[in-house]
Amino acid sequence: MHERQGAFDVVVIGAGIAGLMAAERLAAHGQSVLVLDKSRGVGGRMATRRIGGAVCDHGAQFFTQRTLGFRDVIEHAVRDGTVAEWCRGFSRDGSIAADGPAVADGHPRYRGARGMTDLPKWLAAKLAAQGNGIEVRTGAKATSVAVAADRVRVTIEGQDGAVEVVEAAGCVLTAPVPQALDLIAAGGPLDRMDAQAIERLRTVDYDPCFTAMLVLDRPSLLPEPGAIQFGGDAAGPVAWVADNQRKGISNVPALTVHATGAFSREHFDVPPDEVAGMLIDAVRPWIDGDPRTAVVERSIHRWKFATPTKILPDPFVAVSWAPPILCCGDAFAGPRVEGAFSSGVAAGTMLADRLAGAGR
Ligand SMILES: Cc1cc2nc3c(=O)[nH]c(=O)nc-3n(C[C@H](O)[C@H](O)[C@H](O)COP(=O)(O)OP(=O)(O)OC[C@H]3O[C@@H](n4cnc5c(N)ncnc54)[C@H](O)[C@@H]3O)c2cc1C
């Protein structure tokens, strides 16, 4: 085991949009930051995958910007060619004709120029470009978070199985809340943590989500703008279906199909391939021809913690202030990409202030 003390002021666990924004705020205030993510790349649930010749967004599908801070970042990302406007609304009615109008409500819906991971990749690159004292490390899984004297002690397992312990003055946890609580529990007795905060965090809950990605041999029959948003409480099994080619990120037609929370819970332990068959049947009206030949490749992903169903009103929650350990992400103060962004900004700003105060 390799021990590192004092190399970073703060360890941020998770390189989704919340973690990257928390790190950005900390770095802007002169703190050195290690951002860890267990996945091979950054972005978390803003995820894009290649399947054969197709590119599919398989987590978040689009985002809105209604708050000033997010608007500034998105305007910058649009100017840089990282983000593009997709449309101003979606049909919520699957019966709409293939050439029928989308439901426009005036709010721009944005996408990554080449996929939803573009925005987090852009943020991570800007962070890394700040140089000394900032590291974004992927393939690095935090396995516990503990308090040791007045420091936070994070145990990290690399993809090669090597274990490292890093001590820092503060920590930001952005993993889905049940996973964040597991990390804290793995750190040992909770007597140094705020019991009330832990109890409140235990009330957070998420829906799972099955995502089917279907590469087609011909254009889909989806109405403009290439997607239907049935919604999470839809009567059928499907909450969302989009054609990634029509969206502008794939060279070939490929559908992303999200199941509803209710369907995903009910079928959580059903073999994924069987679930893929059910979702194909449900989106058959928008596949031109027999799916047995029109679907040339398919892949299914099961998100265990897809979207929060019970969130907390606070922008973040501190499980400890001495040393500071803050939980943030899309389960705080507002779900979805924009909520996760705001939560990360709030946690990073508060922690930077706190650490600057401690250093005075
Ligand atoms: C299927 C689906 C559809 C969605 N659709 C939309 C949509 O259309 N619009 C919208 O706005 N939002 C949508 N969302 C929600 C949106 O993706 C999330 O709200 C947002 O991306 C959450 O960001 P985050 O940073 O809080 O968490 P995440 O993106 O989950 O980031 C957390 C990160 O922590 C990492 N991590 C976890 N545990 C550890 C560990 N032990 N060590 C190291 N790293 C760890 C994970 O790998 C992950 O990268 C959707 C989500 C899903 C799953």
Coordinates of all heavy atoms in Angstrom, one line a residue, residues 157-215:
E157 N -8.3 2.3 -5.0 CA -7.8 1.1 -5.7 C -7.7 1.4 -7.2 O -8.7 1.8 -7.8 CB -8.8 0.0 -5.4 CG -8.3 -1.4 -5.7 CD -9.3 -2.4 -5.4 OE1 -9.8 -2.5 -4.2 OE2 -9.7 -3.1 -6.3
G158 N -6.5 1.2 -7.7 CA -6.3 1.4 -9.2 C -6.8 0.2 -10.0 O -7.2 -0.8 -9.4
Q159 N -6.9 0.3 -11.3 CA -7.4 -0.8 -12.1 C -6.4 -2.0 -12.1 O -6.8 -3.1 -12.3 CB -7.5 -0.3 -13.6 CG -8.9 0.3 -13.8 CD -9.1 0.9 -15.1 OE1 -8.1 1.3 -15.8 NE2 -10.3 1.1 -15.5
D160 N -5.1 -1.7 -11.7 CA -4.2 -2.8 -11.6 C -4.2 -3.4 -10.2 O -3.5 -4.3 -9.8 CB -2.8 -2.3 -11.9 CG -2.4 -1.1 -10.9 OD1 -3.2 -0.8 -10.1 OD2 -1.2 -0.6 -11.1
G161 N -5.2 -3.0 -9.4 CA -5.3 -3.6 -8.0 C -4.5 -2.9 -7.0 O -4.6 -3.2 -5.8
A162 N -3.6 -2.0 -7.4 CA -2.7 -1.3 -6.4 C -3.5 -0.4 -5.5 O -4.5 0.3 -6.0 CB -1.7 -0.4 -7.2
V163 N -3.2 -0.4 -4.2 CA -4.0 0.4 -3.3 C -3.1 1.6 -2.8 O -1.9 1.4 -2.5 CB -4.4 -0.5 -2.0 CG1 -5.1 0.3 -1.0 CG2 -5.3 -1.6 -2.5
E164 N -3.8 2.7 -2.7 CA -3.1 3.9 -2.3 C -4.0 4.7 -1.3 O -5.2 4.6 -1.4 CB -2.9 4.8 -3.5 CG -2.1 6.1 -3.2 CD -2.0 7.0 -4.5 OE1 -2.4 6.5 -5.6 OE2 -1.6 8.2 -4.3
V165 N -3.3 5.3 -0.3 CA -4.1 6.1 0.7 C -3.7 7.5 0.5 O -2.5 7.8 0.5 CB -3.9 5.6 2.1 CG1 -4.6 6.5 3.1 CG2 -4.4 4.2 2.3
V166 N -4.7 8.4 0.4 CA -4.4 9.8 0.2 C -5.0 10.6 1.4 O -6.2 10.3 1.7 CB -4.9 10.4 -1.1 CG1 -4.7 11.9 -1.2 CG2 -4.2 9.7 -2.3
E167 N -4.3 11.4 2.0 CA -4.9 12.3 3.1 C -5.0 13.7 2.6 O -4.1 14.2 1.9 CB -4.0 12.2 4.3 CG -4.2 10.9 5.0 CD -3.7 11.0 6.5 OE1 -3.2 12.0 6.9 OE2 -3.7 9.9 7.1
A168 N -6.1 14.3 2.9 CA -6.4 15.7 2.4 C -7.1 16.5 3.5 O -7.6 15.9 4.5 CB -7.2 15.6 1.2
A169 N -7.2 17.8 3.3 CA -7.9 18.6 4.3 C -9.4 18.5 4.2 O -10.1 18.8 5.1 CB -7.4 20.1 4.1
G170 N -9.9 18.1 3.0 CA -11.3 18.1 2.8 C -11.6 17.1 1.7 O -10.8 16.6 0.9
C171 N -12.9 16.7 1.5 CA -13.4 15.7 0.5 C -14.8 16.1 0.0 O -15.6 16.6 0.8 CB -13.3 14.3 1.2 SG -13.8 13.0 0.1
V172 N -15.0 15.9 -1.2 CA -16.3 16.0 -1.8 C -16.7 14.7 -2.4 O -16.0 14.1 -3.2 CB -16.3 17.1 -2.9 CG1 -17.7 17.3 -3.5 CG2 -15.8 18.5 -2.4
L173 N -17.9 14.2 -2.0 CA -18.4 12.9 -2.5 C -19.5 13.2 -3.5 O -20.5 13.8 -3.1 CB -18.9 12.1 -1.3 CG -17.9 11.4 -0.4 CD1 -18.4 11.3 1.0 CD2 -17.6 10.1 -1.0
T174 N -19.4 12.7 -4.7 CA -20.4 13.0 -5.7 C -21.0 11.7 -6.3 O -21.8 11.7 -7.2 CB -19.9 13.8 -6.9 OG1 -19.1 13.0 -7.7 CG2 -19.1 15.0 -6.4
A175 N -20.6 10.5 -5.7 CA -21.2 9.3 -6.2 C -22.7 9.3 -5.8 O -23.0 10.0 -4.8 CB -20.5 8.1 -5.5
P176 N -23.6 8.5 -6.5 CA -24.9 8.5 -6.0 C -25.0 8.2 -4.5 O -24.1 7.4 -4.0 CB -25.5 7.3 -6.8 CG -24.7 7.3 -8.1 CD -23.3 7.8 -7.7
V177 N -25.9 8.8 -3.8 CA -25.8 8.9 -2.3 C -25.7 7.5 -1.6 O -24.9 7.4 -0.7 CB -27.1 9.7 -1.8 CG1 -27.1 9.6 -0.3 CG2 -26.9 11.1 -2.2
P178 N -26.4 6.5 -2.0 CA -26.2 5.2 -1.4 C -24.7 4.7 -1.5 O -24.2 4.1 -0.5 CB -27.1 4.2 -2.1 CG -28.2 5.1 -2.7 CD -27.5 6.4 -3.1
Q179 N -24.1 5.0 -2.6 CA -22.7 4.6 -2.8 C -21.8 5.4 -1.9 O -20.8 5.0 -1.4 CB -22.3 4.6 -4.3 CG -23.0 3.6 -5.1 CD -22.7 3.8 -6.6 OE1 -22.3 4.8 -7.1 NE2 -22.9 2.7 -7.3
A180 N -22.1 6.7 -1.8 CA -21.3 7.6 -1.0 C -21.4 7.2 0.5 O -20.4 7.1 1.2 CB -21.8 9.1 -1.1
L181 N -22.6 6.8 0.9 CA -22.8 6.3 2.3 C -22.0 5.0 2.5 O -21.4 4.8 3.6 CB -24.3 6.1 2.6 CG -25.1 7.4 2.8 CD1 -26.6 7.0 2.9 CD2 -24.6 8.2 4.0
D182 N -21.9 4.1 1.5 CA -21.1 2.9 1.6 C -19.7 3.2 1.8 O -19.0 2.6 2.6 CB -21.3 2.0 0.3 CG -22.6 1.3 0.3 OD1 -23.3 1.3 1.3 OD2 -23.0 0.8 -0.8
L183 N -19.2 4.2 1.1 CA -17.8 4.6 1.2 C -17.5 5.1 2.6 O -16.4 4.8 3.2 CB -17.4 5.7 0.2 CG -17.3 5.3 -1.2 CD1 -17.1 6.6 -2.1 CD2 -16.2 4.4 -1.4
I184 N -18.4 5.9 3.2 CA -18.2 6.4 4.5 C -18.2 5.2 5.6 O -17.4 5.2 6.5 CB -19.3 7.5 4.9 CG1 -19.1 8.7 4.0 CG2 -19.2 7.9 6.3 CD1 -20.2 9.7 3.9
A185 N -19.2 4.3 5.3 CA -19.3 3.2 6.3 C -18.1 2.3 6.2 O -17.6 1.8 7.2 CB -20.6 2.4 5.9
A186 N -17.5 2.2 5.0 CA -16.3 1.4 4.9 C -15.1 2.0 5.6 O -14.1 1.4 5.8 CB -15.9 1.2 3.4
G187 N -15.2 3.3 5.9 CA -14.1 4.0 6.6 C -14.0 3.8 8.0 O -13.1 4.2 8.7
G188 N -15.0 3.0 8.6 CA -14.9 2.7 10.0 C -16.1 3.3 10.8 O -17.1 3.8 10.2
P189 N -16.0 3.3 12.1 CA -17.1 3.8 12.9 C -17.5 5.3 12.5 O -16.6 6.0 12.1 CB -16.5 3.9 14.4 CG -15.3 3.0 14.3 CD -14.8 2.9 12.9
L190 N -18.8 5.5 12.7 CA -19.3 6.8 12.2 C -19.3 7.9 13.3 O -19.9 8.9 13.1 CB -20.7 6.6 11.6 CG -20.9 5.6 10.4 CD1 -22.3 5.5 10.0 CD2 -20.0 6.1 9.2
D191 N -18.6 7.6 14.4 CA -18.8 8.5 15.5 C -18.2 9.9 15.2 O -18.6 10.9 15.9 CB -18.1 7.9 16.8 CG -16.7 7.4 16.5 OD1 -16.5 7.0 15.4 OD2 -15.9 7.5 17.4
R192 N -17.4 10.1 14.2 CA -16.9 11.4 13.9 C -17.8 12.1 12.8 O -17.5 13.2 12.4 CB -15.4 11.3 13.3 CG -14.4 10.9 14.3 CD -13.9 12.0 15.3 NE -13.5 13.2 14.6 CZ -12.3 13.5 14.2 NH1 -11.3 12.6 14.4 NH2 -12.0 14.6 13.7
M193 N -18.8 11.4 12.4 CA -19.7 12.0 11.4 C -21.0 12.5 12.0 O -21.3 12.1 13.1 CB -20.1 10.9 10.3 CG -18.9 10.2 9.7 SD -18.0 11.2 8.6 CE -16.7 10.1 8.1
D194 N -21.7 13.4 11.3 CA -22.9 14.0 11.8 C -24.0 13.0 11.6 O -24.4 12.7 10.4 CB -23.1 15.3 11.0 CG -24.4 16.0 11.4 OD1 -25.3 15.4 11.9 OD2 -24.5 17.2 11.2
A195 N -24.5 12.4 12.7 CA -25.5 11.4 12.6 C -26.8 11.8 11.9 O -27.4 11.1 11.1 CB -25.8 10.8 14.0
Q196 N -27.2 13.1 12.2 CA -28.4 13.6 11.6 C -28.3 13.7 10.1 O -29.2 13.4 9.3 CB -28.7 15.0 12.1 CG -29.8 14.9 13.2 CD -30.2 16.3 13.6 OE1 -29.3 17.3 13.6 NE2 -31.4 16.5 14.1
A197 N -27.1 14.2 9.6 CA -26.8 14.3 8.2 C -26.9 12.9 7.5 O -27.5 12.8 6.5 CB -25.5 15.0 8.0
I198 N -26.3 11.9 8.2 CA -26.3 10.6 7.6 C -27.8 10.1 7.5 O -28.1 9.5 6.5 CB -25.5 9.6 8.5 CG1 -24.0 10.1 8.7 CG2 -25.6 8.2 8.0 CD1 -23.0 9.5 7.8
E199 N -28.6 10.3 8.5 CA -30.0 9.9 8.5 C -30.7 10.6 7.3 O -31.5 9.9 6.6 CB -30.7 10.3 9.8 CG -30.6 9.2 10.9 CD -30.7 7.8 10.3 OE1 -31.8 7.5 9.8 OE2 -29.8 7.0 10.5
R200 N -30.5 11.9 7.1 CA -31.1 12.6 6.0 C -30.7 12.0 4.7 O -31.5 11.8 3.8 CB -30.8 14.1 6.1 CG -31.4 14.7 7.3 CD -31.2 16.2 7.3 NE -32.0 16.8 6.2 CZ -31.5 17.7 5.4 NH1 -30.2 18.2 5.6 NH2 -32.2 18.2 4.5
L201 N -29.4 11.7 4.6 CA -28.9 11.1 3.3 C -29.5 9.8 3.0 O -29.7 9.4 1.9 CB -27.4 11.0 3.4 CG -26.6 12.4 3.3 CD1 -25.1 12.2 3.6 CD2 -26.8 13.0 1.9
R202 N -29.8 9.0 4.1 CA -30.4 7.7 3.9 C -31.8 7.8 3.3 O -32.4 6.8 2.8 CB -30.5 7.0 5.2 CG -29.1 6.5 5.7 CD -29.2 5.4 6.7 NE -27.9 4.9 7.1 CZ -27.3 5.0 8.3 NH1 -28.0 5.5 9.3 NH2 -26.1 4.6 8.5
T203 N -32.5 9.0 3.3 CA -33.8 9.1 2.7 C -33.8 9.3 1.2 O -34.8 9.2 0.5 CB -34.6 10.3 3.3 OG1 -33.9 11.5 3.0 CG2 -34.7 10.2 4.8
V204 N -32.6 9.5 0.7 CA -32.5 9.8 -0.8 C -32.7 8.4 -1.5 O -32.2 7.4 -1.1 CB -31.1 10.4 -1.1 CG1 -30.9 10.4 -2.6 CG2 -31.0 11.8 -0.5
D205 N -33.4 8.5 -2.6 CA -33.7 7.3 -3.3 C -33.6 7.6 -4.9 O -33.8 8.7 -5.3 CB -35.1 6.7 -3.0 CG -35.2 5.2 -3.3 OD1 -34.2 4.6 -3.7 OD2 -36.4 4.7 -3.3
Y206 N -33.3 6.5 -5.6 CA -33.2 6.7 -7.1 C -34.0 5.6 -7.8 O -34.2 4.5 -7.2 CB -31.7 6.4 -7.5 CG -30.8 7.4 -7.0 CD1 -30.3 7.4 -5.7 CD2 -30.2 8.4 -7.8 CE1 -29.4 8.3 -5.2 CE2 -29.3 9.3 -7.3 CZ -28.9 9.2 -6.0 OH -28.0 10.1 -5.5
D207 N -34.4 5.9 -9.0 CA -35.0 4.9 -9.9 C -33.9 4.2 -10.6 O -32.9 4.9 -11.1 CB -36.0 5.5 -10.9 CG -37.4 5.4 -10.5 OD1 -37.7 4.6 -9.6 OD2 -38.2 6.2 -11.0
P208 N -33.9 2.9 -10.9 CA -33.0 2.4 -11.9 C -33.5 2.7 -13.3 O -34.6 3.2 -13.5 CB -33.1 0.9 -11.6 CG -34.5 0.7 -11.0 CD -34.9 2.0 -10.4
C209 N -32.7 2.3 -14.3 CA -33.1 2.5 -15.7 C -32.4 1.5 -16.6 O -31.2 1.4 -16.6 CB -32.8 3.9 -16.1 SG -33.3 4.3 -17.8
F210 N -33.2 0.8 -17.4 CA -32.7 0.0 -18.5 C -32.6 0.9 -19.7 O -33.5 1.6 -20.0 CB -33.6 -1.2 -18.8 CG -33.4 -2.4 -17.9 CD1 -34.3 -2.7 -16.9 CD2 -32.2 -3.2 -18.1 CE1 -34.1 -3.8 -16.1 CE2 -32.0 -4.3 -17.2 CZ -33.0 -4.6 -16.3
T211 N -31.4 0.8 -20.3 CA -31.2 1.6 -21.6 C -30.9 0.6 -22.7 O -29.9 -0.2 -22.6 CB -30.0 2.6 -21.5 OG1 -30.3 3.5 -20.4 CG2 -29.8 3.3 -22.8
A212 N -31.7 0.5 -23.7 CA -31.3 -0.3 -24.9 C -30.8 0.6 -26.0 O -31.3 1.7 -26.2 CB -32.6 -1.0 -25.4
M213 N -29.7 0.1 -26.6 CA -29.2 0.9 -27.8 C -29.3 0.0 -29.0 O -28.8 -1.2 -29.0 CB -27.7 1.2 -27.5 CG -27.6 2.3 -26.4 SD -26.0 2.4 -25.5 CE -26.3 1.1 -24.3
L214 N -30.0 0.4 -30.0 CA -30.3 -0.4 -31.2 C -29.8 0.2 -32.4 O -30.3 1.3 -32.8 CB -31.8 -0.5 -31.2 CG -32.6 -0.9 -29.9 CD1 -34.1 -0.8 -30.1 CD2 -32.2 -2.3 -29.4
V215 N -28.8 -0.4 -33.1 CA -28.3 0.1 -34.4 C -29.2 -0.4 -35.5 O -29.5 -1.6 -35.5 CB -26.9 -0.3 -34.6 CG1 -26.3 0.3 -35.9 CG2 -26.0 0.0 -33.4

